[in-house]
mmCIF file of all heavy atoms in Angstrom:
data_model
loop_
_atom_site.group_PDB
_atom_site.id
_atom_site.type_symbol
_atom_site.label_atom_id
_atom_site.label_comp_id
_atom_site.label_asym_id
_atom_site.label_seq_id
_atom_site.Cartn_x
_atom_site.Cartn_y
_atom_site.Cartn_z
ATOM 1 N N THR A 1 13.666 14.399 -69.840
ATOM 2 C CA THR A 1 12.537 15.302 -69.853
ATOM 3 C C THR A 1 11.275 14.520 -69.809
ATOM 4 O O THR A 1 11.042 13.644 -70.675
ATOM 5 C CB THR A 1 12.578 16.193 -71.082
ATOM 6 O OG1 THR A 1 13.765 16.976 -71.113
ATOM 7 C CG2 THR A 1 11.379 17.172 -71.093
ATOM 8 N N LEU A 2 10.403 14.781 -68.801
ATOM 9 C CA LEU A 2 9.111 14.094 -68.758
ATOM 10 C C LEU A 2 8.210 14.591 -69.857
ATOM 11 O O LEU A 2 8.153 15.781 -70.178
ATOM 12 C CB LEU A 2 8.466 14.296 -67.414
ATOM 13 C CG LEU A 2 8.685 13.195 -66.350
ATOM 14 C CD1 LEU A 2 10.169 13.049 -66.006
ATOM 15 C CD2 LEU A 2 7.845 13.504 -65.107
ATOM 16 N N THR A 3 7.488 13.659 -70.434
ATOM 17 C CA THR A 3 6.478 14.017 -71.477
ATOM 18 C C THR A 3 5.086 13.768 -70.942
ATOM 19 O O THR A 3 4.124 14.083 -71.638
ATOM 20 C CB THR A 3 6.703 13.173 -72.739
ATOM 21 O OG1 THR A 3 6.652 11.769 -72.410
ATOM 22 C CG2 THR A 3 8.054 13.501 -73.364
ATOM 23 N N ALA A 4 4.978 13.245 -69.719
ATOM 24 C CA ALA A 4 3.671 13.042 -69.064
ATOM 25 C C ALA A 4 3.905 12.835 -67.595
ATOM 26 O O ALA A 4 5.071 12.667 -67.145
ATOM 27 C CB ALA A 4 2.988 11.816 -69.666
ATOM 28 N N ASP A 5 2.883 12.859 -66.759
ATOM 29 C CA ASP A 5 3.060 12.561 -65.382
ATOM 30 C C ASP A 5 3.618 11.138 -65.200
ATOM 31 O O ASP A 5 3.271 10.229 -66.004
ATOM 32 C CB ASP A 5 1.694 12.620 -64.660
ATOM 33 C CG ASP A 5 1.181 14.056 -64.583
ATOM 34 O OD1 ASP A 5 1.915 15.010 -64.874
ATOM 35 O OD2 ASP A 5 -0.022 14.207 -64.155
ATOM 36 N N LEU A 6 4.437 10.963 -64.171
ATOM 37 C CA LEU A 6 5.009 9.652 -63.843
ATOM 38 C C LEU A 6 4.502 9.226 -62.485
ATOM 39 O O LEU A 6 4.739 9.912 -61.477
ATOM 40 C CB LEU A 6 6.528 9.700 -63.875
ATOM 41 C CG LEU A 6 7.267 8.389 -63.559
ATOM 42 C CD1 LEU A 6 6.942 7.347 -64.637
ATOM 43 C CD2 LEU A 6 8.786 8.625 -63.501
ATOM 44 N N VAL A 7 3.758 8.124 -62.449
ATOM 45 C CA VAL A 7 3.134 7.669 -61.230
ATOM 46 C C VAL A 7 3.861 6.369 -60.741
ATOM 47 O O VAL A 7 3.970 5.402 -61.520
ATOM 48 C CB VAL A 7 1.625 7.349 -61.414
ATOM 49 C CG1 VAL A 7 0.998 6.879 -60.124
ATOM 50 C CG2 VAL A 7 0.928 8.609 -61.944
ATOM 51 N N CYS A 8 4.345 6.413 -59.489
ATOM 52 C CA CYS A 8 5.140 5.265 -59.006
ATOM 53 C C CYS A 8 4.574 4.812 -57.651
ATOM 54 O O CYS A 8 4.181 5.624 -56.800
ATOM 55 C CB CYS A 8 6.587 5.722 -58.789
ATOM 56 S SG CYS A 8 7.392 6.261 -60.309
ATOM 57 N N ALA A 9 4.561 3.502 -57.467
ATOM 58 C CA ALA A 9 3.960 2.876 -56.254
ATOM 59 C C ALA A 9 5.047 2.564 -55.255
ATOM 60 O O ALA A 9 5.433 1.442 -55.069
ATOM 61 C CB ALA A 9 3.211 1.608 -56.649
ATOM 62 N N GLY A 10 5.568 3.619 -54.599
ATOM 63 C CA GLY A 10 6.503 3.436 -53.508
ATOM 64 C C GLY A 10 7.929 3.146 -53.965
ATOM 65 O O GLY A 10 8.247 3.191 -55.162
ATOM 66 N N GLY A 11 8.815 2.850 -53.000
ATOM 67 C CA GLY A 11 10.186 2.598 -53.330
ATOM 68 C C GLY A 11 10.891 3.884 -53.755
ATOM 69 O O GLY A 11 10.505 5.011 -53.366
ATOM 70 N N VAL A 12 11.943 3.770 -54.521
ATOM 71 C CA VAL A 12 12.668 4.934 -55.062
ATOM 72 C C VAL A 12 12.268 5.056 -56.531
ATOM 73 O O VAL A 12 12.540 4.179 -57.342
ATOM 74 C CB VAL A 12 14.166 4.760 -54.934
ATOM 75 C CG1 VAL A 12 14.899 5.968 -55.530
ATOM 76 C CG2 VAL A 12 14.566 4.620 -53.455
ATOM 77 N N ALA A 13 11.661 6.190 -56.867
ATOM 78 C CA ALA A 13 11.201 6.347 -58.246
ATOM 79 C C ALA A 13 12.367 6.549 -59.219
ATOM 80 O O ALA A 13 12.478 5.858 -60.216
ATOM 81 C CB ALA A 13 10.235 7.545 -58.335
ATOM 82 N N LEU A 14 13.262 7.506 -58.913
ATOM 83 C CA LEU A 14 14.391 7.790 -59.784
ATOM 84 C C LEU A 14 15.655 7.886 -58.955
ATOM 85 O O LEU A 14 15.629 8.566 -57.914
ATOM 86 C CB LEU A 14 14.124 9.072 -60.559
ATOM 87 C CG LEU A 14 12.921 9.124 -61.483
ATOM 88 C CD1 LEU A 14 12.736 10.493 -62.104
ATOM 89 C CD2 LEU A 14 13.006 8.059 -62.588
ATOM 90 N N THR A 15 16.721 7.333 -59.427
ATOM 91 C CA THR A 15 18.043 7.405 -58.728
ATOM 92 C C THR A 15 19.048 8.053 -59.664
ATOM 93 O O THR A 15 19.106 7.731 -60.846
ATOM 94 C CB THR A 15 18.512 6.011 -58.309
ATOM 95 O OG1 THR A 15 17.582 5.424 -57.446
ATOM 96 C CG2 THR A 15 19.880 6.112 -57.641
ATOM 97 N N VAL A 16 19.860 8.980 -59.113
ATOM 98 C CA VAL A 16 20.934 9.631 -59.863
ATOM 99 C C VAL A 16 22.234 9.351 -59.181
ATOM 100 O O VAL A 16 22.414 9.665 -58.006
ATOM 101 C CB VAL A 16 20.717 11.153 -59.994
ATOM 102 C CG1 VAL A 16 21.863 11.799 -60.774
ATOM 103 C CG2 VAL A 16 19.374 11.462 -60.601
ATOM 104 N N GLN A 17 23.183 8.741 -59.924
ATOM 105 C CA GLN A 17 24.518 8.434 -59.416
ATOM 106 C C GLN A 17 25.582 9.006 -60.327
ATOM 107 O O GLN A 17 26.792 8.752 -60.113
ATOM 108 C CB GLN A 17 24.712 6.931 -59.257
ATOM 109 C CG GLN A 17 23.731 6.294 -58.265
ATOM 110 C CD GLN A 17 23.800 4.781 -58.276
ATOM 111 O OE1 GLN A 17 24.236 4.160 -59.253
ATOM 112 N NE2 GLN A 17 23.399 4.173 -57.156
ATOM 113 N N THR A 18 25.174 9.832 -61.308
ATOM 114 C CA THR A 18 26.054 10.358 -62.355
ATOM 115 C C THR A 18 26.015 11.883 -62.277
ATOM 116 O O THR A 18 24.936 12.472 -62.119
ATOM 117 C CB THR A 18 25.630 9.877 -63.734
ATOM 118 O OG1 THR A 18 25.588 8.435 -63.756
ATOM 119 C CG2 THR A 18 26.559 10.370 -64.814
ATOM 120 N N ASP A 19 27.165 12.504 -62.447
ATOM 121 C CA ASP A 19 27.219 13.976 -62.429
ATOM 122 C C ASP A 19 26.482 14.592 -63.594
ATOM 123 O O ASP A 19 26.300 13.972 -64.653
ATOM 124 C CB ASP A 19 28.674 14.441 -62.487
ATOM 125 C CG ASP A 19 29.460 14.068 -61.237
ATOM 126 O OD1 ASP A 19 28.861 13.635 -60.231
ATOM 127 O OD2 ASP A 19 30.711 14.205 -61.277
ATOM 128 N N ASP A 20 26.019 15.822 -63.374
ATOM 129 C CA ASP A 20 25.486 16.691 -64.454
ATOM 130 C C ASP A 20 24.207 16.126 -65.099
ATOM 131 O O ASP A 20 23.976 16.317 -66.295
ATOM 132 C CB ASP A 20 26.564 16.970 -65.503
ATOM 133 C CG ASP A 20 27.799 17.604 -64.911
ATOM 134 O OD1 ASP A 20 27.644 18.502 -64.044
ATOM 135 O OD2 ASP A 20 28.894 17.212 -65.282
ATOM 136 N N VAL A 21 23.391 15.456 -64.350
ATOM 137 C CA VAL A 21 22.108 14.989 -64.867
ATOM 138 C C VAL A 21 21.049 16.045 -64.569
ATOM 139 O O VAL A 21 20.898 16.589 -63.494
ATOM 140 C CB VAL A 21 21.713 13.648 -64.158
ATOM 141 C CG1 VAL A 21 20.246 13.327 -64.474
ATOM 142 C CG2 VAL A 21 22.615 12.551 -64.677
ATOM 143 N N ASP A 22 20.275 16.383 -65.609
ATOM 144 C CA ASP A 22 19.206 17.349 -65.546
ATOM 145 C C ASP A 22 17.868 16.583 -65.634
ATOM 146 O O ASP A 22 17.637 15.875 -66.614
ATOM 147 C CB ASP A 22 19.312 18.383 -66.665
ATOM 148 C CG ASP A 22 18.134 19.315 -66.667
ATOM 149 O OD1 ASP A 22 17.834 19.957 -65.623
ATOM 150 O OD2 ASP A 22 17.433 19.439 -67.707
ATOM 151 N N ILE A 23 16.984 16.789 -64.647
ATOM 152 C CA ILE A 23 15.662 16.188 -64.663
ATOM 153 C C ILE A 23 14.699 17.312 -64.912
ATOM 154 O O ILE A 23 14.404 18.124 -63.957
ATOM 155 C CB ILE A 23 15.343 15.439 -63.352
ATOM 156 C CG1 ILE A 23 16.371 14.339 -63.130
ATOM 157 C CG2 ILE A 23 13.957 14.859 -63.372
ATOM 158 C CD1 ILE A 23 16.227 13.665 -61.777
ATOM 159 N N ASP A 24 14.160 17.410 -66.099
ATOM 160 C CA ASP A 24 13.183 18.433 -66.459
ATOM 161 C C ASP A 24 11.810 17.826 -66.369
ATOM 162 O O ASP A 24 11.407 16.973 -67.202
ATOM 163 C CB ASP A 24 13.427 18.937 -67.894
ATOM 164 C CG ASP A 24 12.528 20.097 -68.264
ATOM 165 O OD1 ASP A 24 11.648 20.437 -67.437
ATOM 166 O OD2 ASP A 24 12.705 20.649 -69.356
ATOM 167 N N LEU A 25 11.064 18.213 -65.318
ATOM 168 C CA LEU A 25 9.712 17.684 -65.159
ATOM 169 C C LEU A 25 8.766 18.225 -66.221
ATOM 170 O O LEU A 25 7.644 17.685 -66.418
ATOM 171 C CB LEU A 25 9.199 17.972 -63.760
ATOM 172 C CG LEU A 25 10.014 17.405 -62.604
ATOM 173 C CD1 LEU A 25 9.482 17.863 -61.263
ATOM 174 C CD2 LEU A 25 10.073 15.868 -62.681
ATOM 175 N N ASN A 26 9.179 19.316 -66.875
ATOM 176 C CA ASN A 26 8.458 19.823 -68.074
ATOM 177 C C ASN A 26 6.994 20.130 -67.761
ATOM 178 O O ASN A 26 6.130 19.888 -68.593
ATOM 179 C CB ASN A 26 8.603 18.783 -69.202
ATOM 180 C CG ASN A 26 8.218 19.333 -70.551
ATOM 181 O OD1 ASN A 26 8.349 20.519 -70.803
ATOM 182 N ND2 ASN A 26 7.724 18.422 -71.399
ATOM 183 N N GLY A 27 6.735 20.661 -66.580
ATOM 184 C CA GLY A 27 5.361 20.988 -66.207
ATOM 185 C C GLY A 27 4.541 19.840 -65.705
ATOM 186 O O GLY A 27 3.341 19.982 -65.377
ATOM 187 N N HIS A 28 5.113 18.621 -65.649
ATOM 188 C CA HIS A 28 4.388 17.454 -65.219
ATOM 189 C C HIS A 28 4.669 17.136 -63.747
ATOM 190 O O HIS A 28 5.417 17.834 -63.100
ATOM 191 C CB HIS A 28 4.772 16.249 -66.077
ATOM 192 C CG HIS A 28 4.446 16.433 -67.544
ATOM 193 N ND1 HIS A 28 3.116 16.464 -67.995
ATOM 194 C CD2 HIS A 28 5.215 16.646 -68.634
ATOM 195 C CE1 HIS A 28 3.105 16.626 -69.296
ATOM 196 N NE2 HIS A 28 4.347 16.750 -69.733
ATOM 197 N N SER A 29 4.069 16.066 -63.262
ATOM 198 C CA SER A 29 4.170 15.656 -61.878
ATOM 199 C C SER A 29 4.789 14.264 -61.722
ATOM 200 O O SER A 29 4.520 13.393 -62.544
ATOM 201 C CB SER A 29 2.786 15.642 -61.243
ATOM 202 O OG SER A 29 2.229 16.948 -61.202
ATOM 203 N N LEU A 30 5.608 14.169 -60.729
ATOM 204 C CA LEU A 30 6.162 12.871 -60.259
ATOM 205 C C LEU A 30 5.329 12.495 -59.065
ATOM 206 O O LEU A 30 5.370 13.125 -58.018
ATOM 207 C CB LEU A 30 7.605 12.999 -59.956
ATOM 208 C CG LEU A 30 8.381 11.741 -59.547
ATOM 209 C CD1 LEU A 30 8.197 10.600 -60.546
ATOM 210 C CD2 LEU A 30 9.886 12.088 -59.453
ATOM 211 N N ILE A 31 4.512 11.426 -59.134
ATOM 212 C CA ILE A 31 3.454 11.132 -58.147
ATOM 213 C C ILE A 31 3.761 9.833 -57.470
ATOM 214 O O ILE A 31 3.959 8.775 -58.143
ATOM 215 C CB ILE A 31 2.070 11.092 -58.831
ATOM 216 C CG1 ILE A 31 1.785 12.443 -59.516
ATOM 217 C CG2 ILE A 31 1.003 10.765 -57.795
ATOM 218 C CD1 ILE A 31 0.593 12.404 -60.448
ATOM 219 N N GLY A 32 3.737 9.795 -56.144
ATOM 220 C CA GLY A 32 3.877 8.564 -55.417
ATOM 221 C C GLY A 32 2.555 8.133 -54.838
ATOM 222 O O GLY A 32 1.806 8.934 -54.268
ATOM 223 N N THR A 33 2.265 6.860 -54.939
ATOM 224 C CA THR A 33 0.972 6.339 -54.414
ATOM 225 C C THR A 33 1.192 5.518 -53.157
ATOM 226 O O THR A 33 0.260 4.935 -52.640
ATOM 227 C CB THR A 33 0.271 5.481 -55.485
ATOM 228 O OG1 THR A 33 1.130 4.377 -55.855
ATOM 229 C CG2 THR A 33 -0.033 6.302 -56.746
ATOM 230 N N ALA A 34 2.470 5.387 -52.705
ATOM 231 C CA ALA A 34 2.774 4.664 -51.473
ATOM 232 C C ALA A 34 4.080 5.249 -50.903
ATOM 233 O O ALA A 34 4.770 6.004 -51.602
ATOM 234 C CB ALA A 34 2.996 3.189 -51.783
ATOM 235 N N PRO A 35 4.404 5.027 -49.656
ATOM 236 C CA PRO A 35 5.608 5.575 -49.042
ATOM 237 C C PRO A 35 6.844 5.251 -49.883
ATOM 238 O O PRO A 35 6.999 4.161 -50.395
ATOM 239 C CB PRO A 35 5.686 4.917 -47.673
ATOM 240 C CG PRO A 35 4.261 4.573 -47.333
ATOM 241 C CD PRO A 35 3.643 4.201 -48.678
ATOM 242 N N GLY A 36 7.698 6.265 -49.987
ATOM 243 C CA GLY A 36 8.921 6.076 -50.782
ATOM 244 C C GLY A 36 9.622 7.384 -51.027
ATOM 245 O O GLY A 36 9.289 8.401 -50.453
ATOM 246 N N THR A 37 10.574 7.372 -51.948
ATOM 247 C CA THR A 37 11.377 8.564 -52.287
ATOM 248 C C THR A 37 11.231 8.850 -53.784
ATOM 249 O O THR A 37 11.375 7.931 -54.618
ATOM 250 C CB THR A 37 12.865 8.291 -51.997
ATOM 251 O OG1 THR A 37 13.011 8.076 -50.566
ATOM 252 C CG2 THR A 37 13.722 9.469 -52.364
ATOM 253 N N ALA A 38 10.983 10.073 -54.082
ATOM 254 C CA ALA A 38 10.810 10.440 -55.502
ATOM 255 C C ALA A 38 12.137 10.425 -56.261
ATOM 256 O O ALA A 38 12.284 9.719 -57.268
ATOM 257 C CB ALA A 38 10.141 11.824 -55.612
ATOM 258 N N ILE A 39 13.114 11.196 -55.780
ATOM 259 C CA ILE A 39 14.427 11.280 -56.450
ATOM 260 C C ILE A 39 15.522 11.106 -55.408
ATOM 261 O O ILE A 39 15.546 11.831 -54.415
ATOM 262 C CB ILE A 39 14.588 12.614 -57.172
ATOM 263 C CG1 ILE A 39 13.489 12.790 -58.264
ATOM 264 C CG2 ILE A 39 15.977 12.716 -57.817
ATOM 265 C CD1 ILE A 39 13.504 14.169 -58.913
ATOM 266 N N GLN A 40 16.390 10.166 -55.616
ATOM 267 C CA GLN A 40 17.520 9.905 -54.739
ATOM 268 C C GLN A 40 18.817 10.220 -55.476
ATOM 269 O O GLN A 40 19.040 9.678 -56.562
ATOM 270 C CB GLN A 40 17.497 8.474 -54.265
ATOM 271 C CG GLN A 40 18.610 8.150 -53.264
ATOM 272 C CD GLN A 40 18.417 6.832 -52.563
ATOM 273 O OE1 GLN A 40 17.659 6.723 -51.603
ATOM 274 N NE2 GLN A 40 19.058 5.782 -53.083
ATOM 275 N N VAL A 41 19.626 11.106 -54.922
ATOM 276 C CA VAL A 41 20.869 11.482 -55.534
ATOM 277 C C VAL A 41 22.022 11.017 -54.604
ATOM 278 O O VAL A 41 22.063 11.334 -53.465
ATOM 279 C CB VAL A 41 20.965 13.004 -55.704
ATOM 280 C CG1 VAL A 41 22.315 13.408 -56.317
ATOM 281 C CG2 VAL A 41 19.822 13.555 -56.549
ATOM 282 N N GLN A 42 22.886 10.163 -55.213
ATOM 283 C CA GLN A 42 23.944 9.545 -54.470
ATOM 284 C C GLN A 42 25.307 9.990 -55.012
ATOM 285 O O GLN A 42 25.658 9.631 -56.139
ATOM 286 C CB GLN A 42 23.856 8.025 -54.501
ATOM 287 C CG GLN A 42 22.569 7.480 -53.912
ATOM 288 C CD GLN A 42 22.456 5.981 -54.099
ATOM 289 O OE1 GLN A 42 23.273 5.356 -54.760
ATOM 290 N NE2 GLN A 42 21.384 5.406 -53.541
ATOM 291 N N ASN A 43 26.032 10.823 -54.256
ATOM 292 C CA ASN A 43 27.424 11.201 -54.611
ATOM 293 C C ASN A 43 27.566 11.757 -55.996
ATOM 294 O O ASN A 43 28.568 11.541 -56.638
ATOM 295 C CB ASN A 43 28.316 9.984 -54.451
ATOM 296 C CG ASN A 43 28.311 9.434 -53.047
ATOM 297 O OD1 ASN A 43 27.609 8.413 -52.797
ATOM 298 N ND2 ASN A 43 28.997 10.046 -52.104
ATOM 299 N N ALA A 44 26.543 12.514 -56.445
ATOM 300 C CA ALA A 44 26.581 13.106 -57.777
ATOM 301 C C ALA A 44 26.483 14.597 -57.640
ATOM 302 O O ALA A 44 25.743 15.124 -56.800
ATOM 303 C CB ALA A 44 25.471 12.598 -58.647
ATOM 304 N N VAL A 45 27.274 15.322 -58.430
ATOM 305 C CA VAL A 45 27.271 16.783 -58.384
ATOM 306 C C VAL A 45 26.721 17.295 -59.719
ATOM 307 O O VAL A 45 26.644 16.604 -60.708
ATOM 308 C CB VAL A 45 28.648 17.375 -58.125
ATOM 309 C CG1 VAL A 45 29.178 16.870 -56.795
ATOM 310 C CG2 VAL A 45 29.623 17.000 -59.268
ATOM 311 N N GLY A 46 26.301 18.590 -59.696
ATOM 312 C CA GLY A 46 25.783 19.199 -60.929
ATOM 313 C C GLY A 46 24.432 18.666 -61.306
ATOM 314 O O GLY A 46 24.010 18.802 -62.466
ATOM 315 N N VAL A 47 23.653 18.129 -60.363
ATOM 316 C CA VAL A 47 22.303 17.572 -60.648
ATOM 317 C C VAL A 47 21.313 18.686 -60.560
ATOM 318 O O VAL A 47 21.339 19.505 -59.603
ATOM 319 C CB VAL A 47 21.970 16.450 -59.652
ATOM 320 C CG1 VAL A 47 20.575 15.958 -59.892
ATOM 321 C CG2 VAL A 47 22.976 15.369 -59.764
#
């Protein structure tokens, strides 16, 4: 659960490779300042 905005400078900000992961942005923002991917999910279900 985010407790504040998360600012990332490109690349992959967050990666999920595990089933049943919950990402609660909690009203906040995931912000990219350069080209990239915010959330990458690889072979995981229930995300």
Side-chain angles (χ1 to χ4, degrees):
T1 300
L2 264 62
T3 58
D5 292 350
L6 181 63
V7 181
C8 300
V12 178
L14 301 174
T15 299
V16 180
Q17 299 173 335
T18 304
D19 293 350
D20 302 318
V21 168
D22 174 56
I23 301 173
D24 184 357
L25 300 175
N26 194 29
H28 298 291
S29 296
L30 183 52
I31 302 169
T33 60
T37 299
I39 299 173
Q40 182 166 279
V41 179
Q42 300 174 355
N43 302 100
V45 301
V47 177

